[in-house]
Amino acid sequence: MGPLSFGFWPSLVVAPAEWKRHGTKTNWKGREKAINDRCETRRQLFKIGLCQLSVTPDKERNIGHARKAIEEAAQKGAQLVLLPEIWNSPYSNDSFPVYAEDIDAGHDVSPSTAMLSEVSSRLKITIVGGSIPERYGNKLYNTCCVFGTDGKLKAKHREIHLFDIDIPGKITFMESKTLTAGETPIIVDTGNLSSIVQADVGRIGIGICYDIRFQELAMIYAARGAHLLCYPGAFNMTTGPLHWELLQRARAMDNQLYVATCSPARDAAAGYVVWGLSTLVGPFGEVLATTEHDEEIIIAVIDYSILEQRRASLPLAKQRRGDLYLLVDMQRLNSN
């Protein structure tokens, strides 16, 4: 038997054994119904906090500063808080090895994640912890950690697509000089599927910065039933004005879900100057909330009940031509 369609988009394929595991025998519609049934029993409406933070060479200060920002966002009602990319370290290949932490070891070896764990547990919120440089054996990764309301590490996403670009006369940066690419797309979820971890604010797909340029990753997350994609990112002064908002709106509109991004605040004196403008985008591609380039915390409302309204208005799932094109979810395919 050949591979079958899976999830929200019928043109995404996985191995047939995956259907048996999830109790679905025929086609993608049964899988979509199971997702929607679970959606009806979970919280539909909540507040998200985007914490656009200034970053300095003082790691201890950065950690304390992030703690205060998370606390402020929670005080304003945020049940989900998103931090920026590389919030505990300057963004540079020289800094990554110096500021990297052994996340799995935790505690004193990883003070950044220890803080996230303590705050999420104390405030009973979910934290998508931006990203920090992670040391794992002899490799370094750009890693996003997600902590649940119990303070436990629910997921760890390593940037899959490394930021290697060369725009003559503008910017050259090669993350691959120090970092290793991740291999696993990560979803955080309230469901009970064996390959998906638990949270309490819906089904969230995680990407980091350059990952947002790759529609295929977002489509896989949508096919697995994501309601929200979170991308901590640090676009620069060349690509930021041109692409940052455009990419967020495209990922949200094409996949009919929410997209949240969080950038560091701009520091014109830094070696790498970021664009800023942390943003929440709705499933019609509409900008719901955004910062400017300075340090700021914004609180916005996410309403998952709107997703089905938008998908009914533009029924892309029913209109895609799975007979003409397919996207293969290799993680699912290779798990059998």
Side-chain angles (χ1 to χ4, degrees):
M1 182 185 295
L4 299 175
S5 299
F6 175 80
F8 181 66
W9 301 119
S11 56
L12 184 108
V13 297
V14 296
E18 206 53 32
W19 290 102
K20 184 176 181 181
R21 183 179 306 146
H22 301 319
T24 306
K25 297 180 180 180
T26 54
N27 57 33
W28 66 274
K29 292 182 180 179
R31 175 74 176 111
E32 184 183 20
K33 182 178 184 301
I35 291 170
N36 292 339
D37 288 345
R38 282 196 295 273
C39 286
E40 292 176 0
T41 63
R42 62 159 59 98
R43 181 188 298 121
Q44 296 282 298
L45 191 72
F46 65 92
K47 292 181 179 179
I48 184 173
L50 309 180
C51 299
Q52 183 165 290
L53 306 176
S54 61
V55 179
T56 74
D58 186 339
K59 184 176 184 179
E60 184 176 352
R61 175 268 179 200
N62 294 336
I63 294 173
H65 193 57
R67 178 197 298 272
K68 291 179 181 178
I70 296 168
E71 292 171 342
E72 180 180 337
Q75 288 172 359
K76 293 179 178 179
Q79 294 153 285
L80 172 65
V81 175
L82 177 59
L83 295 185
E85 180 186 20
I86 308 293
W87 57 267
N88 71 344
S89 160
Y91 185 85
S92 73
N93 279 315
D94 291 338
S95 298
F96 297 153
V98 177
Y99 290 76
E101 300 180 8
D102 184 343
I103 293 171
D104 291 346
H107 303 294
D108 294 339
V109 182
S110 183
S112 300
T113 59
M115 180 275 289
L116 297 178
S117 174
E118 185 277 325
V119 174
S120 62
S121 176
R122 174 165 51 85
L123 300 179
K124 304 303 179 187
I125 61 173
T126 299
I127 299 175
V128 178
S131 76
I132 65 171
E134 177 195 10
R135 187 178 300 279
Y136 186 78
N138 62 353
K139 294 182 179 180
L140 297 177
Y141 295 93
N142 185 1
T143 301
C144 175
C145 294
V146 181
F147 287 87
T149 56
D150 57 1
K152 293 182 180 179
L153 178 64
K154 302 300 184 184
K156 188 169 68 171
H157 174 87
R158 292 164 171 164
E159 185 181 29
I160 293 173
H161 306 92
L162 295 183
F163 178 58
D164 285 5
I165 68 167
D166 183 11
I167 302 176
K170 296 290 185 178
I171 182 172
T172 299
F173 200 99
M174 300 290 169
E175 281 187 336
S176 61
K177 287 184 176 180
T178 55
L179 301 178
T180 298
E183 298 293 336
T184 307
I186 294 294
I187 277 191
V188 186
D189 186 58
T190 54
N192 57 8
L193 304 184
S194 60
S195 62
I196 301 178
V197 294
Q198 300 296 312
D200 62 353
V201 282
R203 181 171 296 183
I204 305 171
I206 306 295
I208 298 175
C209 200
Y210 207 55
D211 287 338
I212 199 172
R213 289 189 177 275
F214 298 87
Q215 162 69 348
E216 296 85 352
L217 179 62
M219 287 182 68
I220 285 175
Y221 285 149
R224 295 184 190 178
H227 309 100
L228 165 68
L229 305 184
C230 286
Y231 294 97
F235 270 48
N236 54 74
M237 298 298 292
T238 299
T239 60
L242 293 171
H243 302 154
W244 181 232
E245 181 183 306
L246 174 65
L247 286 166
Q248 295 172 66
R249 297 181 68 187
R251 297 295 84 84
M253 179 184 62
D254 288 349
N255 297 290
Q256 298 182 303
L257 38 65
Y258 285 90
V259 168
T261 62
C262 194
S263 169
R266 190 182 304 172
D267 178 1
Y272 179 93
V273 181
V274 302
W275 174 238
L277 282 81
S278 304
T279 304
L280 176 67
V281 179
F284 251 22
E286 71 276 29
V287 174
L288 299 175
T290 189
T291 68
E292 292 298 329
H293 62 268
D294 292 328
E295 190 168 61
E296 186 176 353
I297 298 170
I298 56 171
I299 309 296
V301 173
I302 288 179
D303 183 358
Y304 287 150
S305 68
I306 291 176
L307 296 179
E308 289 309 311
Q309 298 175 25
R310 297 298 186 240
R311 292 167 183 175
S313 299
L314 283 175
L316 303 184
K318 299 177 182 178
Q319 296 168 339
R320 286 195 173 234
R321 293 292 303 275
D323 58 322
L324 299 180
Y325 43 78
L326 294 171
L327 175 67
V328 179
D329 186 337
M330 296 303 298
Q331 185 181 6
R332 297 284 187 180
L333 193 65
N334 293 333
S335 66
N336 296 278

